[in-house]
mmCIF file of all heavy atoms in Angstrom:
data_model
loop_
_atom_site.group_PDB
_atom_site.id
_atom_site.type_symbol
_atom_site.label_atom_id
_atom_site.label_comp_id
_atom_site.label_asym_id
_atom_site.label_seq_id
_atom_site.Cartn_x
_atom_site.Cartn_y
_atom_site.Cartn_z
ATOM 1 N N GLN A 39 -42.916 16.643 -36.375
ATOM 2 C CA GLN A 39 -43.247 15.800 -35.232
ATOM 3 C C GLN A 39 -43.307 14.350 -35.670
ATOM 4 O O GLN A 39 -43.847 14.030 -36.736
ATOM 5 C CB GLN A 39 -44.595 16.223 -34.617
ATOM 6 C CG GLN A 39 -44.910 15.526 -33.313
ATOM 7 C CD GLN A 39 -46.092 16.154 -32.609
ATOM 8 O OE1 GLN A 39 -46.940 16.806 -33.224
ATOM 9 N NE2 GLN A 39 -46.169 15.980 -31.294
ATOM 10 N N THR A 40 -42.754 13.480 -34.829
ATOM 11 C CA THR A 40 -42.867 12.047 -35.031
ATOM 12 C C THR A 40 -43.628 11.460 -33.853
ATOM 13 O O THR A 40 -43.702 12.067 -32.776
ATOM 14 C CB THR A 40 -41.489 11.389 -35.158
ATOM 15 O OG1 THR A 40 -40.708 11.728 -33.995
ATOM 16 C CG2 THR A 40 -40.757 11.880 -36.394
ATOM 17 N N ALA A 41 -44.172 10.297 -34.059
ATOM 18 C CA ALA A 41 -44.983 9.651 -33.032
ATOM 19 C C ALA A 41 -44.165 9.469 -31.757
ATOM 20 O O ALA A 41 -43.033 9.006 -31.785
ATOM 21 C CB ALA A 41 -45.485 8.304 -33.531
ATOM 22 N N GLY A 42 -44.741 9.886 -30.654
ATOM 23 C CA GLY A 42 -44.091 9.708 -29.368
ATOM 24 C C GLY A 42 -43.080 10.770 -29.011
ATOM 25 O O GLY A 42 -42.465 10.703 -27.944
ATOM 26 N N LYS A 43 -42.912 11.739 -29.892
ATOM 27 C CA LYS A 43 -41.960 12.814 -29.611
ATOM 28 C C LYS A 43 -42.664 14.160 -29.639
ATOM 29 O O LYS A 43 -43.702 14.319 -30.266
ATOM 30 C CB LYS A 43 -40.827 12.806 -30.629
ATOM 31 C CG LYS A 43 -39.915 11.596 -30.560
ATOM 32 C CD LYS A 43 -38.740 11.754 -31.506
ATOM 33 C CE LYS A 43 -37.793 10.586 -31.406
ATOM 34 N NZ LYS A 43 -36.621 10.744 -32.324
ATOM 35 N N GLU A 44 -42.062 15.117 -28.969
ATOM 36 C CA GLU A 44 -42.602 16.463 -28.995
ATOM 37 C C GLU A 44 -42.341 17.111 -30.348
ATOM 38 O O GLU A 44 -41.362 16.803 -31.026
ATOM 39 C CB GLU A 44 -41.957 17.311 -27.894
ATOM 40 C CG GLU A 44 -42.388 16.934 -26.496
ATOM 41 C CD GLU A 44 -41.891 17.926 -25.464
ATOM 42 O OE1 GLU A 44 -41.219 18.910 -25.836
ATOM 43 O OE2 GLU A 44 -42.177 17.718 -24.280
ATOM 44 N N ARG A 45 -43.234 18.004 -30.696
ATOM 45 C CA ARG A 45 -43.032 18.781 -31.912
ATOM 46 C C ARG A 45 -41.767 19.627 -31.761
ATOM 47 O O ARG A 45 -41.508 20.179 -30.689
ATOM 48 C CB ARG A 45 -44.248 19.670 -32.129
ATOM 49 C CG ARG A 45 -44.228 20.511 -33.384
ATOM 50 C CD ARG A 45 -45.490 21.320 -33.448
ATOM 51 N NE ARG A 45 -45.630 22.164 -32.273
ATOM 52 C CZ ARG A 45 -46.777 22.692 -31.859
ATOM 53 N NH1 ARG A 45 -47.890 22.431 -32.517
ATOM 54 N NH2 ARG A 45 -46.816 23.455 -30.782
ATOM 55 N N GLU A 46 -40.997 19.745 -32.834
ATOM 56 C CA GLU A 46 -39.780 20.536 -32.767
ATOM 57 C C GLU A 46 -39.731 21.540 -33.910
ATOM 58 O O GLU A 46 -40.193 21.262 -35.027
ATOM 59 C CB GLU A 46 -38.531 19.643 -32.803
ATOM 60 C CG GLU A 46 -38.316 18.898 -34.099
ATOM 61 C CD GLU A 46 -36.941 18.267 -34.182
ATOM 62 O OE1 GLU A 46 -36.030 18.683 -33.447
ATOM 63 O OE2 GLU A 46 -36.772 17.357 -35.028
ATOM 64 N N GLY A 47 -39.169 22.687 -33.603
ATOM 65 C CA GLY A 47 -38.987 23.704 -34.620
ATOM 66 C C GLY A 47 -37.901 23.293 -35.594
ATOM 67 O O GLY A 47 -36.883 22.729 -35.194
ATOM 68 N N VAL A 48 -38.121 23.588 -36.860
ATOM 69 C CA VAL A 48 -37.158 23.266 -37.902
ATOM 70 C C VAL A 48 -36.518 24.543 -38.454
ATOM 71 O O VAL A 48 -35.304 24.666 -38.514
ATOM 72 C CB VAL A 48 -37.838 22.490 -39.051
ATOM 73 C CG1 VAL A 48 -36.867 22.263 -40.200
ATOM 74 C CG2 VAL A 48 -38.382 21.160 -38.537
ATOM 75 N N ALA A 49 -37.362 25.493 -38.850
ATOM 76 C CA ALA A 49 -36.845 26.728 -39.444
ATOM 77 C C ALA A 49 -37.887 27.827 -39.307
ATOM 78 O O ALA A 49 -39.089 27.552 -39.269
ATOM 79 C CB ALA A 49 -36.510 26.524 -40.926
ATOM 80 N N VAL A 50 -37.436 29.044 -39.219
ATOM 81 C CA VAL A 50 -38.323 30.201 -39.137
ATOM 82 C C VAL A 50 -37.817 31.280 -40.085
ATOM 83 O O VAL A 50 -36.609 31.398 -40.315
ATOM 84 C CB VAL A 50 -38.397 30.742 -37.695
ATOM 85 C CG1 VAL A 50 -37.046 31.295 -37.255
ATOM 86 C CG2 VAL A 50 -39.474 31.801 -37.554
ATOM 87 N N ILE A 51 -38.761 32.020 -40.647
ATOM 88 C CA ILE A 51 -38.430 33.216 -41.415
ATOM 89 C C ILE A 51 -39.231 34.350 -40.798
ATOM 90 O O ILE A 51 -40.448 34.259 -40.636
ATOM 91 C CB ILE A 51 -38.702 33.032 -42.925
ATOM 92 C CG1 ILE A 51 -38.186 34.221 -43.718
ATOM 93 C CG2 ILE A 51 -40.159 32.746 -43.216
ATOM 94 C CD1 ILE A 51 -38.070 33.937 -45.219
ATOM 95 N N TYR A 52 -38.523 35.393 -40.413
ATOM 96 C CA TYR A 52 -39.157 36.450 -39.640
ATOM 97 C C TYR A 52 -39.925 37.407 -40.543
ATOM 98 O O TYR A 52 -39.694 37.474 -41.751
ATOM 99 C CB TYR A 52 -38.111 37.188 -38.814
ATOM 100 C CG TYR A 52 -37.503 36.317 -37.746
ATOM 101 C CD1 TYR A 52 -36.206 35.837 -37.867
ATOM 102 C CD2 TYR A 52 -38.250 35.946 -36.624
ATOM 103 C CE1 TYR A 52 -35.654 35.010 -36.897
ATOM 104 C CE2 TYR A 52 -37.703 35.118 -35.654
ATOM 105 C CZ TYR A 52 -36.416 34.657 -35.790
ATOM 106 O OH TYR A 52 -35.888 33.840 -34.837
ATOM 107 N N THR A 53 -40.815 38.137 -39.936
ATOM 108 C CA THR A 53 -41.699 39.066 -40.633
ATOM 109 C C THR A 53 -40.906 39.930 -41.595
ATOM 110 O O THR A 53 -39.881 40.494 -41.240
ATOM 111 C CB THR A 53 -42.426 39.967 -39.626
ATOM 112 O OG1 THR A 53 -43.129 39.135 -38.700
ATOM 113 C CG2 THR A 53 -43.397 40.885 -40.331
ATOM 114 N N GLY A 54 -41.401 40.004 -42.822
ATOM 115 C CA GLY A 54 -40.741 40.795 -43.847
ATOM 116 C C GLY A 54 -39.517 40.134 -44.416
ATOM 117 O O GLY A 54 -38.800 40.732 -45.227
ATOM 118 N N GLY A 55 -39.281 38.878 -44.022
ATOM 119 C CA GLY A 55 -38.119 38.155 -44.545
ATOM 120 C C GLY A 55 -36.802 38.738 -44.097
ATOM 121 O O GLY A 55 -35.779 38.581 -44.777
ATOM 122 N N VAL A 56 -36.788 39.377 -42.925
ATOM 123 C CA VAL A 56 -35.571 40.056 -42.471
ATOM 124 C C VAL A 56 -34.532 39.118 -41.919
ATOM 125 O O VAL A 56 -33.398 39.526 -41.654
ATOM 126 C CB VAL A 56 -35.913 41.123 -41.408
ATOM 127 C CG1 VAL A 56 -36.793 42.200 -42.005
ATOM 128 C CG2 VAL A 56 -36.570 40.508 -40.192
ATOM 129 N N GLY A 57 -34.886 37.866 -41.744
ATOM 130 C CA GLY A 57 -33.899 36.926 -41.246
ATOM 131 C C GLY A 57 -34.497 35.552 -41.081
ATOM 132 O O GLY A 57 -35.721 35.379 -41.135
ATOM 133 N N THR A 58 -33.627 34.576 -40.903
ATOM 134 C CA THR A 58 -34.058 33.201 -40.721
ATOM 135 C C THR A 58 -33.296 32.574 -39.561
ATOM 136 O O THR A 58 -32.265 33.091 -39.112
ATOM 137 C CB THR A 58 -33.797 32.363 -41.993
ATOM 138 O OG1 THR A 58 -32.392 32.408 -42.297
ATOM 139 C CG2 THR A 58 -34.574 32.899 -43.186
ATOM 140 N N ASP A 59 -33.789 31.465 -39.097
ATOM 141 C CA ASP A 59 -33.117 30.700 -38.059
ATOM 142 C C ASP A 59 -33.472 29.238 -38.274
ATOM 143 O O ASP A 59 -34.537 28.921 -38.823
ATOM 144 C CB ASP A 59 -33.546 31.169 -36.676
ATOM 145 C CG ASP A 59 -32.580 30.704 -35.593
ATOM 146 O OD1 ASP A 59 -31.479 30.207 -35.920
ATOM 147 O OD2 ASP A 59 -32.923 30.829 -34.399
ATOM 148 N N TYR A 60 -32.579 28.362 -37.823
ATOM 149 C CA TYR A 60 -32.754 26.937 -38.058
ATOM 150 C C TYR A 60 -32.410 26.145 -36.801
ATOM 151 O O TYR A 60 -31.579 26.550 -35.991
ATOM 152 C CB TYR A 60 -31.831 26.462 -39.186
ATOM 153 C CG TYR A 60 -32.112 27.084 -40.526
ATOM 154 C CD1 TYR A 60 -31.509 28.278 -40.903
ATOM 155 C CD2 TYR A 60 -32.997 26.483 -41.421
ATOM 156 C CE1 TYR A 60 -31.774 28.867 -42.128
ATOM 157 C CE2 TYR A 60 -33.266 27.053 -42.657
ATOM 158 C CZ TYR A 60 -32.650 28.246 -43.000
ATOM 159 O OH TYR A 60 -32.916 28.823 -44.216
ATOM 160 N N ALA A 61 -33.037 24.992 -36.707
ATOM 161 C CA ALA A 61 -32.617 24.040 -35.690
ATOM 162 C C ALA A 61 -31.215 23.553 -36.032
ATOM 163 O O ALA A 61 -30.869 23.423 -37.211
ATOM 164 C CB ALA A 61 -33.586 22.870 -35.647
#
Side-chain angles (χ1 to χ4, degrees):
Q39 188 169 23
T40 55
K43 293 186 178 181
E44 289 189 1
R45 182 180 58 200
E46 66 168 340
V48 175
V50 65
I51 187 164
Y52 294 107
T53 304
V56 297
T58 59
D59 197 11
Y60 297 89

